[in-house]
Amino acid sequence: MSDEDHRRRIPRTDRLLALPAVREARERIGDAAIRRIVEERQRAAREGRVPVEEVEQAVVDALRAERPASLVPVLNATGVIVHTNLGRAPLSEGARQAIGAAAGYVDVEMDLVSGKRSARGAGAREALLQACPEAEDALIVNNGAAALLLAVTAVCAGASERDRAIPSEMIVSRGELVEIGAGFRLPDLLVTTGARLREVGTTNRTHLSDYEAAIGAATGCLLKIHPSNFRVQGFTSGVDVAALRRLADAYGLPLVVDLGSGLLRPDALLPDEPDLAGALRAGADVVIASGDKLLGGPQAGLLVGRAETIRRLAKHPLARAVRSDKLTLAAIEATLRGPETPVQAALHAVPARLRERTEGLAARLAAAVQGPCEVVPHEGRVGGGGAPGVPLPGWAIELPEAMAPRLRAGAVAVVARVHRGRCLVDLRCIPESDDELLLECLIEALGDAGAAPRSAPRGLGSR
């Protein structure tokens, strides 16, 4: 058969665009993406890479695999609850529904009774104040770094106003100037405020007298940062919030405390993790935390504290640049008003139940692939800089290391932990409702390692 005859048999564009699968795809993706898929399959047929009789099915398969966004839902089998590389906190069902409801037009800045403009995100603010009654007022911005930037910029502005010839200073312990993920260093952020960073103490020991000796006419605030993602042990000392409050009062200075992980109240499982309520009771003017860590909500920066301080932050021009959008506000409110979050459920998972689930899944997997599947003890982690070094006892299915990339490449991506030449599948962060789905993924990866993965997800994210 000639090349010309071969090309004539390729389905026409209008015929392919009339397929039922195309009509369904238009609800998810635009015409430009659909035409690109059609043209790419026609081109593959002209070049002989796809048989002519398979062009229609190739278009259908590609449309079903196409997503409106490039982010791929995964099953988190690492045992790390707040996994930064996997989007940190998974949202509760209530938060997911709230985001869907807020996706259209909503009264984010309107009083529906009067028809006039209202305060932005009043519901989320009220929910945060109810969850943390120690706070007089609250403000929500787009992430934790933005919250810290806004707080320091706004409170240090007062010092520069007293004497514009002298740059204002923030006083902070050297042992608290941390570097977090992707090489992000807090000192680099803090100096962008225009204030000078006045470091006191040493890496392992800082005393109250170090802070007091650094206070001068240019001092804008005392700043305390919870290191969060590491521990210094041995010959160490630090200054707590209550002591810093007394010093701040003696010199008329504001006290800013950045806790990072967002624990609202003490948790017996995390005895060394500071909480917002405790920092406020100890006297902080403003306390900062992230919304997408232990709180279990979306990415956000939470600022709670004294009414006068929060109002000052809210009126600063930078507040407009870092404000939260309607989806974040809706998700934060639903998280705070809703039941236990997935983060809390994973954190407080009962080890005996984890073992029961893991052993049951391993037994079914072994029967399906006709081979042994060992269950081993495995310690999970909070992650996201929360409670560093605190183990969360659990269990994992032990597989060969080569299984990890196969699981990640499956029709539903499963991200397991690779450690010392083993692939460890930990169920702590996987809802029980997804156990059957996980079993399917494991059977597919173990039983048919050489086959190409199917392209259509089988239900992940529909919870």
Side-chain angles (χ1 to χ4, degrees):
M1 184 180 293
S2 67
D3 288 343
E4 185 177 355
D5 291 337
H6 167 78
R7 290 193 294 269
R8 284 179 178 176
R9 293 174 53 235
I10 297 172
R12 289 160 49 100
T13 300
D14 56 355
R15 174 181 163 185
L16 293 172
L17 291 176
L19 291 171
V22 171
R23 292 195 296 271
E24 295 172 4
R26 284 197 173 100
E27 297 180 2
R28 297 180 291 109
I29 55 178
D31 283 342
I34 292 172
R35 283 188 170 272
R36 172 182 53 79
I37 288 171
V38 168
E39 290 169 0
E40 286 176 353
R41 271 57 189 180
Q42 289 174 321
R43 186 182 308 113
R46 284 194 296 271
E47 296 170 357
R49 293 182 286 113
V50 173
V52 171
E53 59 273 12
E54 296 181 10
V55 171
E56 285 192 11
Q57 189 59 48
V59 169
V60 170
D61 291 344
L63 289 172
R64 287 175 177 168
E66 188 78 3
R67 299 182 180 91
S70 61
L71 296 177
V72 176
V74 306
L75 289 175
N76 177 10
T78 64
V80 179
I81 301 172
V82 183
H83 199 306
T84 298
N85 295 349
L86 299 181
R88 291 188 175 170
L91 296 182
S92 66
E93 182 58 33
R96 295 183 187 205
Q97 292 180 11
I99 287 176
Y105 293 116
V106 291
D107 60 339
V108 66
E109 287 187 21
M110 175 176 280
D111 182 339
L112 294 178
V113 175
S114 66
K116 297 180 179 180
R117 186 168 187 161
S118 65
R120 185 180 184 86
R125 170 186 167 275
E126 185 60 31
L128 183 53
L129 290 174
Q130 288 175 0
C132 188
E134 291 81 1
E136 295 177 3
D137 204 350
L139 181 64
I140 301 170
V141 296
N142 58 17
N143 65 21
L148 179 59
L149 183 67
L150 173 61
V152 172
T153 301
V155 300
C156 282
S160 60
E161 289 168 1
R162 291 194 297 270
D163 188 345
R164 295 183 180 275
I166 306 176
S168 58
E169 294 181 342
M170 63 194 97
I171 301 177
V172 61
S173 169
R174 281 191 175 88
E176 297 173 2
L177 293 175
V178 301
E179 176 180 312
I180 56 177
F184 177 82
R185 295 179 172 181
L186 284 184
D188 295 340
L189 172 72
L190 292 170
V191 296
T192 65
T193 64
R196 292 191 305 197
L197 198 59
R198 185 70 181 270
E199 303 174 26
V200 298
T202 62
T203 302
N204 61 319
R205 291 177 69 80
T206 302
H207 306 285
L208 189 63
S209 58
D210 295 320
Y211 287 91
E212 186 166 18
I215 293 174
T219 303
C221 73
L222 303 183
L223 175 60
K224 184 169 182 61
I225 300 171
H226 178 53
S228 76
N229 60 355
F230 71 96
R231 278 184 170 183
V232 178
Q233 295 178 317
F235 188 57
T236 64
S237 68
V239 183
D240 62 23
V241 176
L244 287 175
R245 176 72 268 161
R246 292 190 291 271
L247 182 63
D249 285 341
Y251 289 89
L253 296 172
L255 172 58
V256 178
V257 178
D258 184 353
L259 298 186
S261 65
L263 194 63
L264 285 174
R265 303 206 165 277
D267 190 318
L269 196 62
L270 311 173
D272 297 325
E273 191 71 14
D275 61 282
L276 275 72
L280 289 169
R281 285 195 300 270
D285 290 287
V286 58
V287 182
I288 299 163
S290 294
D292 56 350
K293 294 183 180 179
L294 285 172
L295 183 69
Q299 175 180 295
L302 311 179
L303 300 111
V304 294
R306 296 184 177 180
E308 180 183 356
T309 306
I310 297 297
R311 281 196 297 268
R312 182 175 179 181
L313 270 55
K315 290 180 179 179
H316 194 278
L318 185 60
R320 175 62 182 241
V322 300
R323 74 177 186 177
S324 294
D325 73 319
K326 61 182 180 180
L327 302 183
T328 299
L329 293 170
I332 282 287
E333 182 176 359
T335 299
L336 290 165
R337 296 194 188 282
E340 182 182 60
T341 65
V343 165
Q344 286 298 310
L347 180 63
H348 293 281
V350 179
R353 179 55 184 157
L354 281 177
R355 183 172 188 173
E356 181 182 355
R357 288 174 60 201
T358 307
E359 290 179 342
L361 204 66
R364 295 174 63 191
L365 178 60
V369 301
Q370 298 182 344
C373 292
E374 186 177 356
V375 172
V376 297
H378 183 246
E379 292 181 346
R381 290 290 188 270
V382 170
V390 176
L392 303 174
W395 304 85
I397 300 173
E398 184 181 75
L399 301 173
E401 183 178 3
M403 294 306 304
R406 294 175 189 167
L407 287 169
R408 294 195 301 269
V412 173
V414 178
V415 180
R417 184 188 182 199
V418 177
H419 182 63
R420 294 182 179 177
R422 303 172 299 165
C423 171
L424 300 171
V425 179
D426 189 318
L427 274 62
R428 176 179 294 276
C429 304
I430 296 178
E432 288 198 42
S433 58
D434 277 337
D435 282 0
E436 292 296 324
L437 179 59
L438 176 60
L439 179 60
E440 286 183 41
C441 297
L442 293 172
I443 291 173
E444 180 183 340
L446 275 170
D448 193 16
R454 294 188 292 274
S455 59
R458 299 187 296 278
L460 179 63
S462 62
R463 298 183 300 277

